[in-house]
Coordinates of all heavy atoms in Angstrom, one line a residue:
T1 N -128.6 108.2 39.3 CA -127.5 107.7 38.4 C -128.1 106.8 37.4 O -129.3 106.5 37.3 CB -126.4 107.1 39.2 OG1 -126.9 105.9 39.8 CG2 -125.9 108.0 40.3
I2 N -127.2 106.2 36.6 CA -127.6 105.2 35.6 C -128.4 104.1 36.2 O -129.2 103.5 35.6 CB -126.3 104.7 34.8 CG1 -126.8 103.8 33.7 CG2 -125.3 104.1 35.7 CD1 -125.6 103.4 32.8
V3 N -128.1 103.7 37.5 CA -128.8 102.7 38.2 C -130.3 103.0 38.3 O -131.1 102.1 38.1 CB -128.2 102.4 39.6 CG1 -128.9 101.3 40.2 CG2 -126.7 102.1 39.4
S4 N -130.6 104.2 38.6 CA -132.0 104.6 38.7 C -132.8 104.5 37.3 O -133.8 104.0 37.2 CB -132.1 106.1 39.2 OG -131.5 106.2 40.4
V5 N -132.0 104.9 36.3 CA -132.5 104.8 34.9 C -132.7 103.4 34.5 O -133.8 103.0 34.0 CB -131.6 105.6 34.0 CG1 -132.2 105.5 32.5 CG2 -131.4 107.0 34.3
L6 N -131.7 102.6 34.8 CA -131.8 101.1 34.5 C -133.0 100.5 35.3 O -133.7 99.6 34.7 CB -130.4 100.5 34.8 CG -130.3 99.0 34.5 CD1 -130.6 98.7 33.1 CD2 -129.0 98.5 34.9
H7 N -133.0 100.8 36.5 CA -134.1 100.2 37.3 C -135.5 100.5 36.8 O -136.3 99.6 36.7 CB -134.1 100.8 38.8 CG -135.1 100.3 39.7 ND1 -136.4 100.9 39.7 CD2 -135.2 99.3 40.6 CE1 -137.1 100.2 40.6 NE2 -136.4 99.2 41.1
D8 N -135.7 101.8 36.4 CA -137.1 102.1 35.8 C -137.3 101.5 34.5 O -138.4 101.0 34.1 CB -137.2 103.6 35.7 CG -137.5 104.3 37.1 OD1 -137.2 103.6 38.1 OD2 -137.9 105.5 37.1
A9 N -136.2 101.4 33.6 CA -136.4 100.7 32.4 C -136.7 99.2 32.6 O -137.6 98.7 31.9 CB -135.1 100.8 31.5
A10 N -136.1 98.6 33.5 CA -136.4 97.1 33.8 C -137.8 97.0 34.3 O -138.4 96.0 33.9 CB -135.4 96.6 34.9
A11 N -138.2 97.8 35.2 CA -139.6 97.7 35.8 C -140.6 97.8 34.6 O -141.6 97.0 34.5 CB -139.8 98.7 36.9
A12 N -140.4 98.8 33.8 CA -141.3 99.0 32.7 C -141.4 97.8 31.7 O -142.4 97.4 31.2 CB -141.1 100.3 32.0
A13 N -140.2 97.3 31.5 CA -140.1 96.1 30.6 C -140.8 94.9 31.1 O -141.5 94.2 30.4 CB -138.6 95.8 30.4
E14 N -140.7 94.7 32.4 CA -141.4 93.6 33.1 C -142.9 93.7 33.0 O -143.6 92.8 32.7 CB -141.0 93.5 34.5 CG -139.6 93.0 34.8 CD -139.1 93.1 36.2 OE1 -139.6 94.0 37.0 OE2 -138.3 92.3 36.6
D15 N -143.4 95.0 33.1 CA -144.8 95.2 33.0 C -145.3 95.0 31.6 O -146.4 94.3 31.4 CB -145.2 96.6 33.4 CG -145.0 96.9 34.9 OD1 -144.9 95.9 35.7 OD2 -144.9 98.1 35.3
A16 N -144.6 95.4 30.6 CA -144.9 95.2 29.2 C -144.9 93.7 28.9 O -145.8 93.2 28.1 CB -144.0 96.0 28.3
A17 N -143.9 93.0 29.3 CA -143.8 91.6 29.0 C -144.9 90.8 29.6 O -145.4 89.8 29.1 CB -142.4 91.0 29.5
A18 N -145.3 91.3 30.9 CA -146.4 90.6 31.5 C -147.7 90.7 30.8 O -148.6 89.9 30.9 CB -146.5 91.1 32.9
E19 N -147.8 91.8 30.0 CA -149.0 92.0 29.2 C -148.9 91.4 27.8 O -149.7 91.7 26.9 CB -149.3 93.4 29.1 CG -149.7 94.1 30.4 CD -149.8 95.6 30.3 OE1 -149.7 96.2 29.2 OE2 -150.1 96.3 31.3
Q20 N -147.9 90.5 27.6 CA -147.8 89.7 26.4 C -147.4 90.7 25.2 O -147.6 90.3 24.1 CB -149.0 89.0 26.0 CG -149.5 88.1 27.1 CD -148.5 87.0 27.5 OE1 -147.9 86.4 26.6 NE2 -148.3 86.8 28.8
A21 N -146.7 91.8 25.5 CA -146.2 92.6 24.4 C -145.1 92.0 23.7 O -144.4 91.2 24.3 CB -145.8 94.0 25.0
D22 N -144.9 92.3 22.4 CA -143.8 91.7 21.7 C -142.5 92.4 22.1 O -142.5 93.4 22.7 CB -144.1 91.8 20.2 CG -144.2 93.1 19.6 OD1 -143.8 94.1 20.3 OD2 -144.7 93.2 18.4
L23 N -141.3 91.9 21.6 CA -140.1 92.5 22.0 C -140.0 94.0 21.6 O -139.5 94.8 22.4 CB -139.0 91.7 21.2 CG -137.5 92.3 21.5 CD1 -137.2 92.2 23.0 CD2 -136.5 91.5 20.6
A24 N -140.3 94.4 20.4 CA -140.2 95.8 20.0 C -141.0 96.7 21.0 O -140.5 97.7 21.4 CB -140.8 95.9 18.6
E25 N -142.2 96.3 21.4 CA -143.0 97.1 22.3 C -142.4 97.1 23.7 O -142.4 98.0 24.4 CB -144.5 96.6 22.3 CG -145.3 97.5 23.2 CD -145.3 99.0 22.9 OE1 -145.2 99.3 21.7 OE2 -145.4 99.8 23.8
V26 N -141.9 95.9 24.1 CA -141.1 95.8 25.4 C -139.9 96.8 25.5 O -139.8 97.6 26.5 CB -140.7 94.5 25.8 CG1 -139.8 94.4 27.0 CG2 -141.9 93.5 25.9
V27 N -139.2 96.8 24.4 CA -138.1 97.7 24.3 C -138.5 99.2 24.2 O -138.0 100.1 25.0 CB -137.2 97.4 23.1 CG1 -136.1 98.5 22.9 CG2 -136.6 96.0 23.2
A28 N -139.6 99.5 23.5 CA -140.1 100.8 23.4 C -140.6 101.3 24.7 O -140.4 102.5 25.1 CB -141.2 100.9 22.3
T29 N -141.3 100.5 25.5 CA -141.8 100.8 26.8 C -140.6 101.1 27.8 O -140.7 102.1 28.5 CB -142.7 99.7 27.3 OG1 -143.8 99.5 26.5 CG2 -143.3 100.0 28.7
S30 N -139.7 100.3 27.8 CA -138.6 100.4 28.7 C -137.8 101.7 28.3 O -137.3 102.4 29.2 CB -137.6 99.2 28.6 OG -137.0 99.0 27.4
T31 N -137.7 102.0 27.0 CA -137.0 103.2 26.6 C -137.7 104.4 27.1 O -137.1 105.4 27.5 CB -136.8 103.2 25.0 OG1 -136.2 102.0 24.7 CG2 -136.1 104.4 24.6
R32 N -139.1 104.4 26.9 CA -139.8 105.6 27.5 C -139.6 105.8 28.9 O -139.5 106.9 29.4 CB -141.3 105.5 27.1 CG -141.6 105.6 25.6 CD -143.2 105.7 25.4 NE -143.8 104.4 25.7 CZ -144.0 103.4 24.8 NH1 -143.6 103.6 23.6 NH2 -144.7 102.4 25.2

């Protein structure tokens, strides 16, 4: 469900943020 999609988006955003990515890249990564 949407919860699964949201969970994976959040996990990807956390990984990107941990690598010091800027906001646009964090959003792009979570969207992918």
Side-chain angles (χ1 to χ4, degrees):
T1 64
I2 185 175
V3 181
S4 301
V5 179
L6 178 61
H7 177 276
D8 284 15
E14 287 174 331
D15 290 343
E19 296 176 1
Q20 307 299 314
D22 62 16
L23 175 62
E25 183 55 35
V26 170
V27 172
T29 301
S30 66
T31 302
R32 289 192 293 269

